[in-house]
Amino acid sequence: MQVIVPGKPATFALRLVAYAPNGPRLGVLPQHLGFEVGLPLNDVPGLSVTYPAGGLNADLVAGYCEVAVEYAVAGGGWVEPANGRFLRIKRGGDSTDRAGSRSYDLPGWAWMLRKVVLYPNDAMVDGKRQFSAVSAGAILATFIQEGQSRGALPGLGFDFSTSHDSAGDPWSKTLTLAIEPGKDLLAVLINLGEQGVIDWRMSGRTLQVFNPDTVLGADRASGASPVDLRLGRDITEAPDTGTLEDAVSAILIGGEAGLSVEVTNASAVAPWGRWETFQSQSGVTDQGTATLLGQNALERVGRERVQVTRGLMFDAARWLPLRHYQPGDYLLAPGDGGAMQSLRLRQITLSVGQDGQVGGNVVLNDRFLEREIRLARQAAGILDGGVSSGGSGGEPAPESNDRVPAAPLGVIVEPAASLDEHGYARGQATVTWSPVAQDINGVALDVDGYEVYARRNVAGELWLLVAQTAGGDVTATVSPLVVRWEYAWKVRAISAGVKGEFSDQVVELVPDDATPPPVPSTPVVAARLGVIHVEWDGLGSAGEAMPIDLERVHVWMKDPLDADDAGARVGYLDAAGTEVIPGQPYNADREIWLTAVDRSGNESAQSGHVTVAVTPLVDADLIGEVIDGAEHIIDGSIPGDAKITADSITGRLIQALAIEADKIAANAITADKINAGAIEASHISSNAITADKIAANAITAAKIAADAINGKTITGSLIRTGTSGQRIVIDPTTLDIRFYPDGNSNYSRLWTSDDDFAGEATFRITSGTNPGQTARTFFTLAAGWTKLEVLRPSDGNPNGGFLESAEDYSRIGYDDGGTGAQYMWFDGTGMTTHVGKWWDNVNATNVWGIHSGSLVSPANQIGERIFYGPTMRDNMGPVCTIRDGAGQENFTWAITASNNTYFDVGWSRSGGDSGPLTGKATYWWAFRHNGAA
């Protein structure tokens, strides 16, 4: 039973409340002998209770009832959480127990969903119910509504619809499934959750279903006040259990028609060498899909599997279960090894002892386990088919044929990306449709197989036969595809050699690889000889090898004392190695970290940060007093008659080149001090005589031998016209020329490198930065690619207009690194694409080439006058269409007037329909032109 000490409210308390089956509240169950409740994500919860036969309200729990678990926090009322309602359907006891205690095992209310099954209907195909291109809500609602019409589950409610989830958001995925009659609702619900189509829970007796990773995937690990479970405050213990039992580093995929593909994982944990396994994948006929499935399988078993369980505290805890977090949320908590990281909450287990003390724990998944779950879901979608993200919204290029078998319905396409053996992203698609059982006249027929056609969704592209299936197989996998291309798909059946009618076309964009590389390990940073050395071991933060598609690791640096300094890239590494950062001030902290970027542009989170400061080589007390910058002795700081003993400085003690011209008094070395012939060419060090060591006009034409500078090479690390003010600096080591205006350190630059394209010299021009440090213009000129762009100096990201030209395309537009990028794309195929948005219904200037927009008209209105704002300079050609808000079709419309200031559009009823006019939406696109129309 729950014990609360008077005057000391419990921080967190639990209790049990009985309800009649499908009925009202009966009362509290206060005298239990302890209970434990487990609340998992996307599964049926469980409650176990021990209750004495003589306890208060024991008769309630002894009979058939529902039991709710409620919680309360200090200062708050009692709350029944999600998944907190249970069914008293199983009991146990011992007749020899004099106390008469009884044990009860209660499944969550969702267990009841197994008691409604799918019945057959009049549209069965191969003995199964067909659901063609519908939402998860439509399938689940069919189970519930048909079951309740038969009298099943009268107490069950649901708050989703066929079009929206329980949060009111449109369903993000569609499904084409064939379900056998007799399958129960709970099995379908759990299966959809396991495939990542939905998340679900019960709220009392109401089933709530959400789009995946939305409501039941809240990120509480970031933001201004993250939910951070700390050892000693929120967590009492942190046991971790790991195993390598399932680990392998190579897999052999066996597909159809003798297909055999080996996939290996170089980054897999393999202390005993190569471990192999085999996986049979029926229905897979192409190498790309087999490779994708193999890569997914290896990523799931390529490392030690660790179960992270964390015991909970309640008295001193800042964050309390159910009140501040629930299953599915992402939290900050000690991961494997104790370091704080973002972990997903998979289950909460709470208990109350006989003394009323509350205990519990949470089961957490790290990012590796969550990645494994997503990969398993993707593999299930490829093998089972039937799930789509809903399409790209593209319009298919028109084309259709009529054949004898009816057109397949419910075609959905689920694209995915994988990496080839060189680490480049390639596309794959799983196509699913409903089986055809009739001809175009509705007469039953047998189908021998199906043909799947695809083409790039560009007018004029040829349709290609990309897959064939036999018999009743209604799923096909296709690869390789080009990522970031939009494809159109269609399917037709074949019966007795007769090719049927094509399905409606489905357009899908093949995604690029969206998985960033692992977080790099924390760099080892050292400061010596006036520079910072950043060393990376080539591994991820968990000691894993980096993936095959790793492009580079960026080195970032910032001033940790400057709140406005977000950091800037200061170098990069292609593999394990060291990056050197020169030119840092002494005794000033610098914060260093790494991020990894792959070939698709995905960037990892930041590695661990390290702070370092460059220190001088001599005592800091001497700097500024005697030694300037740890390099030079300040003039006059050491008088010669006081600090230097006569004859103490001999030639042997003077470092080579240590005495420069400015250290020797004018005319101190005269011709009579130098023996004739004593200075020979071999005595002068290379580059020892520089321009500032030679008196003005000292070298005249008479001093230079004829043809002395003829076809010769002038060597040196730096060539410059001056040390300050207006000057030009040439640096051969970086193939760099810099131009400094007078009195300004903000320079423009020309340089060449082969970093971008191996074996190719790429030429660059960079402007100076603007006073606000927000813009710098870059011009890059390569053999087959050139780009002019405005970038942000602090991080090198886009921040303005750009012009880009390559061998097979050209772009011009604007990009500030956000969501407002807009540009025109001119493709080598002769096609033009616009990316971005057009101004919508705003006043133009009179020289705009295009004026576009939309507006909504209320019911019973018969037209609109669309104003451009000013009177346009030239003749305007409006293009317009009208959409009826209620879907009514019986109306006509036309543009009735047009001039340089506005155009009129009007509409009226037609087809003999005399009902009221409903609201209309007008969309237009008007352009300036020279024609007379």
PDB file of all heavy atoms in Angstrom, residues 19-24 65-66 85 87 109 112 153-156 205:
ATOM      1  N   TYR A  19     -11.984   0.293 -12.304  1.00  0.00           N
ATOM      2  CA  TYR A  19     -13.081   0.736 -13.154  1.00  0.00           C
ATOM      3  C   TYR A  19     -13.898  -0.491 -13.564  1.00  0.00           C
ATOM      4  O   TYR A  19     -13.357  -1.599 -13.711  1.00  0.00           O
ATOM      5  CB  TYR A  19     -12.560   1.416 -14.421  1.00  0.00           C
ATOM      6  CG  TYR A  19     -12.005   2.803 -14.223  1.00  0.00           C
ATOM      7  CD1 TYR A  19     -10.722   2.994 -13.709  1.00  0.00           C
ATOM      8  CD2 TYR A  19     -12.753   3.930 -14.544  1.00  0.00           C
ATOM      9  CE1 TYR A  19     -10.201   4.269 -13.529  1.00  0.00           C
ATOM     10  CE2 TYR A  19     -12.247   5.213 -14.376  1.00  0.00           C
ATOM     11  CZ  TYR A  19     -10.974   5.377 -13.864  1.00  0.00           C
ATOM     12  OH  TYR A  19     -10.469   6.653 -13.690  1.00  0.00           O
ATOM     13  N   ALA A  20     -15.179  -0.293 -13.766  1.00  0.00           N
ATOM     14  CA  ALA A  20     -16.012  -1.363 -14.300  1.00  0.00           C
ATOM     15  C   ALA A  20     -15.626  -1.610 -15.755  1.00  0.00           C
ATOM     16  O   ALA A  20     -15.188  -0.694 -16.450  1.00  0.00           O
ATOM     17  CB  ALA A  20     -17.480  -0.973 -14.211  1.00  0.00           C
ATOM     18  N   PRO A  21     -15.767  -2.855 -16.259  1.00  0.00           N
ATOM     19  CA  PRO A  21     -15.455  -3.118 -17.665  1.00  0.00           C
ATOM     20  C   PRO A  21     -16.246  -2.193 -18.582  1.00  0.00           C
ATOM     21  O   PRO A  21     -17.480  -2.150 -18.527  1.00  0.00           O
ATOM     22  CB  PRO A  21     -15.863  -4.579 -17.846  1.00  0.00           C
ATOM     23  CG  PRO A  21     -15.745  -5.174 -16.481  1.00  0.00           C
ATOM     24  CD  PRO A  21     -16.165  -4.084 -15.534  1.00  0.00           C
ATOM     25  N   ASN A  22     -15.514  -1.409 -19.390  1.00  0.00           N
ATOM     26  CA  ASN A  22     -16.120  -0.420 -20.293  1.00  0.00           C
ATOM     27  C   ASN A  22     -17.002   0.564 -19.537  1.00  0.00           C
ATOM     28  O   ASN A  22     -17.874   1.204 -20.134  1.00  0.00           O
ATOM     29  CB  ASN A  22     -16.967  -1.104 -21.381  1.00  0.00           C
ATOM     30  CG  ASN A  22     -16.130  -1.944 -22.328  1.00  0.00           C
ATOM     31  OD1 ASN A  22     -14.947  -1.692 -22.507  1.00  0.00           O
ATOM     32  ND2 ASN A  22     -16.752  -2.963 -22.899  1.00  0.00           N
ATOM     33  N   GLY A  23     -16.803   0.668 -18.214  1.00  0.00           N
ATOM     34  CA  GLY A  23     -17.721   1.453 -17.404  1.00  0.00           C
ATOM     35  C   GLY A  23     -17.044   2.492 -16.539  1.00  0.00           C
ATOM     36  O   GLY A  23     -15.875   2.845 -16.738  1.00  0.00           O
ATOM     37  N   PRO A  24     -17.776   2.965 -15.484  1.00  0.00           N
ATOM     38  CA  PRO A  24     -17.310   4.093 -14.674  1.00  0.00           C
ATOM     39  C   PRO A  24     -16.280   3.670 -13.629  1.00  0.00           C
ATOM     40  O   PRO A  24     -16.015   2.495 -13.399  1.00  0.00           O
ATOM     41  CB  PRO A  24     -18.591   4.583 -14.010  1.00  0.00           C
ATOM     42  CG  PRO A  24     -19.421   3.349 -13.884  1.00  0.00           C
ATOM     43  CD  PRO A  24     -19.131   2.527 -15.114  1.00  0.00           C
ATOM     44  N   CYS A  65     -12.661  -6.477 -13.834  1.00  0.00           N
ATOM     45  CA  CYS A  65     -12.616  -5.015 -13.791  1.00  0.00           C
ATOM     46  C   CYS A  65     -11.439  -4.531 -14.633  1.00  0.00           C
ATOM     47  O   CYS A  65     -10.646  -5.319 -15.158  1.00  0.00           O
ATOM     48  CB  CYS A  65     -12.487  -4.510 -12.358  1.00  0.00           C
ATOM     49  SG  CYS A  65     -10.885  -4.873 -11.586  1.00  0.00           S
ATOM     50  N   GLU A  66     -11.364  -3.227 -14.747  1.00  0.00           N
ATOM     51  CA  GLU A  66     -10.186  -2.570 -15.311  1.00  0.00           C
ATOM     52  C   GLU A  66      -9.469  -1.850 -14.188  1.00  0.00           C
ATOM     53  O   GLU A  66     -10.104  -1.341 -13.253  1.00  0.00           O
ATOM     54  CB  GLU A  66     -10.593  -1.572 -16.401  1.00  0.00           C
ATOM     55  CG  GLU A  66     -11.317  -2.201 -17.571  1.00  0.00           C
ATOM     56  CD  GLU A  66     -11.844  -1.167 -18.554  1.00  0.00           C
ATOM     57  OE1 GLU A  66     -11.478   0.025 -18.437  1.00  0.00           O
ATOM     58  OE2 GLU A  66     -12.626  -1.544 -19.455  1.00  0.00           O
ATOM     59  N   ARG A  85      -4.065   1.967 -18.504  1.00  0.00           N
ATOM     60  CA  ARG A  85      -5.282   1.215 -18.209  1.00  0.00           C
ATOM     61  C   ARG A  85      -5.037  -0.276 -18.515  1.00  0.00           C
ATOM     62  O   ARG A  85      -4.526  -0.630 -19.576  1.00  0.00           O
ATOM     63  CB  ARG A  85      -6.450   1.719 -19.050  1.00  0.00           C
ATOM     64  CG  ARG A  85      -7.800   1.109 -18.686  1.00  0.00           C
ATOM     65  CD  ARG A  85      -8.286   1.598 -17.320  1.00  0.00           C
ATOM     66  NE  ARG A  85      -8.491   3.027 -17.288  1.00  0.00           N
ATOM     67  CZ  ARG A  85      -9.643   3.630 -17.572  1.00  0.00           C
ATOM     68  NH1 ARG A  85     -10.700   2.903 -17.909  1.00  0.00           N
ATOM     69  NH2 ARG A  85      -9.756   4.940 -17.500  1.00  0.00           N
ATOM     70  N   LEU A  87      -6.346  -4.678 -17.840  1.00  0.00           N
ATOM     71  CA  LEU A  87      -7.485  -5.592 -17.782  1.00  0.00           C
ATOM     72  C   LEU A  87      -7.238  -6.675 -16.731  1.00  0.00           C
ATOM     73  O   LEU A  87      -6.222  -7.386 -16.802  1.00  0.00           O
ATOM     74  CB  LEU A  87      -7.706  -6.249 -19.148  1.00  0.00           C
ATOM     75  CG  LEU A  87      -7.898  -5.302 -20.337  1.00  0.00           C
ATOM     76  CD1 LEU A  87      -7.846  -6.085 -21.636  1.00  0.00           C
ATOM     77  CD2 LEU A  87      -9.224  -4.563 -20.216  1.00  0.00           C
ATOM     78  N   TRP A 109      -4.777  -2.349 -21.799  1.00  0.00           N
ATOM     79  CA  TRP A 109      -6.068  -2.398 -22.469  1.00  0.00           C
ATOM     80  C   TRP A 109      -5.910  -2.754 -23.944  1.00  0.00           C
ATOM     81  O   TRP A 109      -6.797  -3.344 -24.559  1.00  0.00           O
ATOM     82  CB  TRP A 109      -6.780  -1.053 -22.325  1.00  0.00           C
ATOM     83  CG  TRP A 109      -8.286  -1.150 -22.311  1.00  0.00           C
ATOM     84  CD1 TRP A 109      -9.092  -1.162 -21.216  1.00  0.00           C
ATOM     85  CD2 TRP A 109      -9.154  -1.245 -23.452  1.00  0.00           C
ATOM     86  NE1 TRP A 109     -10.412  -1.258 -21.591  1.00  0.00           N
ATOM     87  CE2 TRP A 109     -10.483  -1.312 -22.960  1.00  0.00           C
ATOM     88  CE3 TRP A 109      -8.953  -1.282 -24.811  1.00  0.00           C
ATOM     89  CZ2 TRP A 109     -11.587  -1.407 -23.791  1.00  0.00           C
ATOM     90  CZ3 TRP A 109     -10.061  -1.386 -25.661  1.00  0.00           C
ATOM     91  CH2 TRP A 109     -11.364  -1.446 -25.148  1.00  0.00           C
ATOM     92  N   MET A 112      -6.808  -6.128 -25.615  1.00  0.00           N
ATOM     93  CA  MET A 112      -8.158  -6.415 -26.077  1.00  0.00           C
ATOM     94  C   MET A 112      -8.260  -6.358 -27.609  1.00  0.00           C
ATOM     95  O   MET A 112      -9.159  -6.962 -28.206  1.00  0.00           O
ATOM     96  CB  MET A 112      -9.134  -5.411 -25.463  1.00  0.00           C
ATOM     97  CG  MET A 112     -10.588  -5.768 -25.662  1.00  0.00           C
ATOM     98  SD  MET A 112     -11.307  -6.522 -24.212  1.00  0.00           S
ATOM     99  CE  MET A 112     -11.390  -5.114 -23.115  1.00  0.00           C
ATOM    100  N   LEU A 153     -15.716  -5.167 -29.166  1.00  0.00           N
ATOM    101  CA  LEU A 153     -15.029  -3.996 -28.598  1.00  0.00           C
ATOM    102  C   LEU A 153     -15.908  -2.757 -28.525  1.00  0.00           C
ATOM    103  O   LEU A 153     -15.551  -1.689 -29.036  1.00  0.00           O
ATOM    104  CB  LEU A 153     -13.763  -3.681 -29.404  1.00  0.00           C
ATOM    105  CG  LEU A 153     -12.706  -4.780 -29.511  1.00  0.00           C
ATOM    106  CD1 LEU A 153     -11.474  -4.249 -30.218  1.00  0.00           C
ATOM    107  CD2 LEU A 153     -12.343  -5.334 -28.151  1.00  0.00           C
ATOM    108  N   PRO A 154     -17.037  -2.838 -27.848  1.00  0.00           N
ATOM    109  CA  PRO A 154     -17.918  -1.660 -27.771  1.00  0.00           C
ATOM    110  C   PRO A 154     -17.299  -0.513 -26.982  1.00  0.00           C
ATOM    111  O   PRO A 154     -17.690   0.645 -27.171  1.00  0.00           O
ATOM    112  CB  PRO A 154     -19.169  -2.201 -27.088  1.00  0.00           C
ATOM    113  CG  PRO A 154     -18.699  -3.395 -26.313  1.00  0.00           C
ATOM    114  CD  PRO A 154     -17.603  -4.010 -27.141  1.00  0.00           C
ATOM    115  N   GLY A 155     -16.337  -0.814 -26.101  1.00  0.00           N
ATOM    116  CA  GLY A 155     -15.753   0.259 -25.295  1.00  0.00           C
ATOM    117  C   GLY A 155     -14.569   0.941 -25.934  1.00  0.00           C
ATOM    118  O   GLY A 155     -14.043   1.909 -25.391  1.00  0.00           O
ATOM    119  N   LEU A 156     -14.114   0.457 -27.100  1.00  0.00           N
ATOM    120  CA  LEU A 156     -12.932   1.024 -27.749  1.00  0.00           C
ATOM    121  C   LEU A 156     -13.288   2.285 -28.515  1.00  0.00           C
ATOM    122  O   LEU A 156     -14.256   2.327 -29.270  1.00  0.00           O
ATOM    123  CB  LEU A 156     -12.313  -0.006 -28.709  1.00  0.00           C
ATOM    124  CG  LEU A 156     -11.152   0.492 -29.572  1.00  0.00           C
ATOM    125  CD1 LEU A 156      -9.949   0.855 -28.707  1.00  0.00           C
ATOM    126  CD2 LEU A 156     -10.768  -0.550 -30.616  1.00  0.00           C
ATOM    127  N   ARG A 205      -9.341   4.124 -22.767  1.00  0.00           N
ATOM    128  CA  ARG A 205      -9.848   3.116 -23.709  1.00  0.00           C
ATOM    129  C   ARG A 205      -9.793   3.620 -25.153  1.00  0.00           C
ATOM    130  O   ARG A 205     -10.415   3.037 -26.038  1.00  0.00           O
ATOM    131  CB  ARG A 205     -11.297   2.770 -23.360  1.00  0.00           C
ATOM    132  CG  ARG A 205     -11.495   2.239 -21.936  1.00  0.00           C
ATOM    133  CD  ARG A 205     -12.942   1.846 -21.688  1.00  0.00           C
ATOM    134  NE  ARG A 205     -13.169   1.439 -20.313  1.00  0.00           N
ATOM    135  CZ  ARG A 205     -13.804   2.163 -19.397  1.00  0.00           C
ATOM    136  NH1 ARG A 205     -14.279   3.353 -19.737  1.00  0.00           N
ATOM    137  NH2 ARG A 205     -13.966   1.707 -18.172  1.00  0.00           N
TER     138      ARG A 205
END
